[in-house]
Amino acid sequence: MSVEAAVDSPVAHADEPIVRLRHPWRWVAVAVIALFLAQAIVFAVTNDKLRWDLVWGYLFEESILRGLWMTVKLTVVAMVVGVVLGTVLAVMRLSDNPVFRAVAGGYVWIFRGTPILVQLLFWFFLGTVLPTITIGIPFGPDFGSWATNTVISQFTAAILGLGLNEAAYMAEIVRAGIGSVDQGQSEAAEALGMSPATTYRRVVLPQAARLIVPPTANQTISMLKLTSLVLVIGLPELTTTVQLIYGRNLQQIPMLLVASIWYLVLTTLLTIVQSRLEKRMSRGVSRSGTERRKLFTRQGGRS
Amino acid sequence: MSTEAAEAAMTTASPMVEAIGVRKVYGRNEVLKSIDLTVQQGEVVSLLGPSGSGKSTFLRCINHLERVDGGEISVNGHLVGYRRAHGKKYELRRKEIAAARRDVGMVFQRFNLFPHRTAIENVMEAPLFVKRRNRDEVRKQAQNLLDRVGLADHADAYPTTLSGGQQQRVAIARALAMEPTLMLFDEPTSALDPELVGEVLDVMKGLAEEGMTMIVVTHEIGFAREVCNRVVFMDGGVIVEQGVPDEVFGNPQHARTQSFLSKVL
């Protein structure tokens, strides 16, 4: 046949068609997964105990939305406190000043070393050991004094507990980010006559930020769900609200589905923000054109 | 000592760099053992020597990127890193050190361009955020500098998209943007592909012709011979031999210089 003819001529070899590698096991995996998925869907659709009508009805119910708003507020404020304080702590920890280093190290040691639940309760019950908060010079004159329980409301206690704890973790993330910026960068900046502060602000932190964004997004998503711990100091956020409702109507799973749907919506939004930020931050960093490969690609490899 | 005194007497200008008995120690390893070196204004001096001879360390000491452990260095008559008063040397604050560095440009082996900024932004960075000059003015100056190093067309390129030689030329433009009176080059062509070395050396040659005072740590014997007024050969933390290039290369006096040159020439 023509195939044998082609073998004879070495020039024709070069033009022989290429047969790409096939992946038959991928098809098997798809079949298995589809089977399980179908069963899950059948369960979800045919099981009337799931009460989708109730889920839908409560999804936009007023107390749920109030709880949702509280969750969002707690997450945002606690993360802002965490990122700002964490960055300060990280810079302190990398400073030449041994006092700063020790203070930052001690902070991380305490706030990372005790359970967040304990910290939340600690701030909430602070009034029992420190009835008034006074601003003034230690052992000197006072400038003002307030009752602790009025200064530290439930919300403030929650922010203190979540935010100060988060700062300890963010400090480590920022420190790692700063540490991975090449030493030559700050040397170049200093050789140009930049002060240490300008070097940080213009050269080191912008480059560290690129490395800090993914773990920070991770922390934010984690914080979103960690806020449900404020249950212990009686602040009605999303999970607490849902628990209160199913305490009354005994529809635990449908109510938990309501909460889950909202958590997923928020997480999805955060993920979108994360990938936008990452794209913006990767300015000047060459990313080899890693186009996503299709599952059953016929032209895998270089085209 | 006597030759330096004679050189200083010949030129009326004050020395640009004056190093006296400079020592540097890392742990127990003494990398610089009493270096004396005077560089006059407009001079182009190359530091040669095997790796580990202390030439890069000495160059970094001139810019106070390394602190000297003994002796002292003056640039333009100002003590580097210290203030002399009451018979003592007081350590300067980091801000003061930063201010002193503005007159000294430095070019690194690995370029150290800011990867998150374009070529022109790299050049503009220091005039904008150190000297606080007007942005339009700075942009015009940066464009001129990029033009001078032959990269006018690459102003908006990020460093990673440029070749090594182009990156190093941007780095030279970035250093020049601060209008330094002294330029330090730390093996500026050692990280480059052979065919890109020439374009960087050409820019440096142009600078030398314009009268810039330059100290160059290099392995490019051809450049040292053609462009430099003086070559300084270092080994084991001391200056072994120095003189005009033709003398040092043509008739090296010291055995260590001879053996080094026989390997690189």
Side-chain angles (χ1 to χ4, degrees), chain B residues 110-183:
Chain B
R110 303 226 34 95
F111 329 134
N112 295 350
L113 288 179
F114 305 136
H116 57 306
R117 311 230 177 270
T118 60
I120 196 161
E121 284 169 350
N122 264 280
V123 180
M124 291 168 67
E125 190 72 19
L128 277 181
F129 293 94
V130 176
K131 286 190 170 169
R132 304 260 163 218
R133 286 172 49 199
N134 172 281
R135 185 173 276 273
D136 295 331
E137 227 174 78
V138 169
R139 179 173 289 278
K140 210 178 289 170
Q141 181 209 14
Q143 195 66 55
N144 285 339
L145 282 169
L146 287 178
D147 195 26
R148 184 161 153 196
V149 298
L151 289 171
D153 300 339
H154 294 78
D156 296 321
Y158 281 100
T160 44
T161 64
L162 298 173
S163 75
Q166 290 170 328
Q167 287 189 52
Q168 193 61 295
R169 285 186 282 152
V170 173
I172 294 173
R174 179 176 70 172
L176 291 176
M178 289 297 280
E179 290 157 345
T181 52
L182 168 68
M183 284 286 283

Side-chain angles (χ1 to χ4, degrees), chain A residues 191-215:
Chain A
L192 285 168
M194 287 191 195
S195 66
T198 312
T199 301
Y200 254 111
R201 195 167 51 82
R202 296 290 309 172
V203 176
V204 177
L205 284 181
Q207 292 183 62
R210 192 174 59 81
L211 301 152
I212 291 168
V213 164

Side-chain angles (χ1 to χ4, degrees), chain A residues 21-274:
Chain A
L21 189 61
R22 299 289 164 97
H23 301 284
W25 284 103
R26 289 185 186 173
W27 290 105
V28 175
V30 165
V32 172
I33 291 165
L35 215 62
F36 279 107
L37 206 62
Q39 195 174 25
I41 290 169
V42 168
F43 169 79
V45 172
T46 57
N47 190 327
D48 46 342
K49 289 207 179 99
L50 280 176
R51 296 293 306 273
W52 287 105
D53 58 317
L54 218 58
V55 171
W56 184 247
Y58 270 104
L59 202 54
F60 298 100
E61 199 263 339
E62 205 194 321
S63 62
I64 294 281
L65 289 183
R66 260 206 310 274
L68 178 70
W69 174 233
M70 180 57 80
T71 293
V72 171
K73 228 166 35 173
L74 282 171
T75 306
V76 170
V77 179
M79 280 313 292
V80 168
V81 171
V83 169
V84 172
L85 188 58
T87 307
V88 172
L89 285 167
V91 172
M92 278 170 75
R93 212 153 177 209
L94 292 166
S95 117
D96 291 334
N97 185 333
V99 180
F100 282 171
R101 277 206 305 270
V103 168
Y107 182 99
V108 172
W109 177 62
I110 289 171
F111 283 88
R112 210 173 50 160
T114 52
I116 186 162
L117 204 59
V118 171
Q119 289 174 36
L120 276 169
L121 291 166
F122 178 89
W123 293 114
F124 186 60
F125 289 121
L126 189 65
T128 59
V129 292
L130 183 76
T132 56
I133 291 175
T134 307
I135 291 181
I137 296 161
F139 308 110
D142 295 341
F143 302 130
S145 181
W146 299 270
T148 303
N149 283 334
T150 58
V151 178
I152 301 185
S153 63
Q154 279 172 318
F155 185 76
T156 318
I159 290 304
L160 283 172
L162 296 172
L164 298 188
N165 182 267
E166 185 59 34
Y169 286 93
M170 282 308 302
E172 291 298 287
I173 289 171
V174 174
R175 186 167 70 107
I178 290 173
S180 57
V181 175
D182 181 22
Q183 185 85 44
Q185 289 291 311
S186 42
E187 270 182 11
E190 282 172 24
L192 285 168
M194 287 191 195
S195 66
T198 312
T199 301
Y200 254 111
R201 195 167 51 82
R202 296 290 309 172
V203 176
V204 177
L205 284 181
Q207 292 183 62
R210 192 174 59 81
L211 301 152
I212 291 168
V213 164
T216 304
N218 216 18
Q219 290 294 108
T220 311
I221 287 169
S222 165
M223 174 63 78
L224 189 66
K225 290 158 293 177
L226 216 55
T227 52
S228 59
L229 286 181
V230 303
L231 168 74
V232 296
I233 56 174
L235 201 59
E237 49 68 66
L238 187 54
T239 304
T240 318
T241 311
V242 160
Q243 280 180 317
L244 285 175
I245 296 174
Y246 73 60
R248 278 184 268 113
N249 68 6
L250 300 178
Q251 295 289 339
Q252 291 89 347
I253 296 288
M255 287 301 108
L256 290 172
L257 282 174
V258 170
S260 302
I261 288 168
W262 277 121
Y263 281 120
L264 276 174
V265 167
L266 292 176
T267 308
T268 309
L269 287 176
L270 282 171
T271 310
I272 293 168
V273 172
Q274 176 189 2

Side-chain angles (χ1 to χ4, degrees), chain B residues 66-99:
Chain B
E66 304 281 351
R67 181 204 305 265
V68 298
D69 292 316
E72 60 183 50
I73 302 177
S74 302
V75 174
N76 268 330
H78 297 289
L79 202 55
V80 172
Y82 301 92
R83 179 179 33 237
R84 196 190 306 281
H86 320 300
K88 286 178 185 152
K89 284 183 275 190
Y90 291 89
E91 215 175 327
L92 292 180
R93 294 174 177 284
R94 289 179 69 185
K95 256 190 174 168
E96 296 170 307
I97 293 168

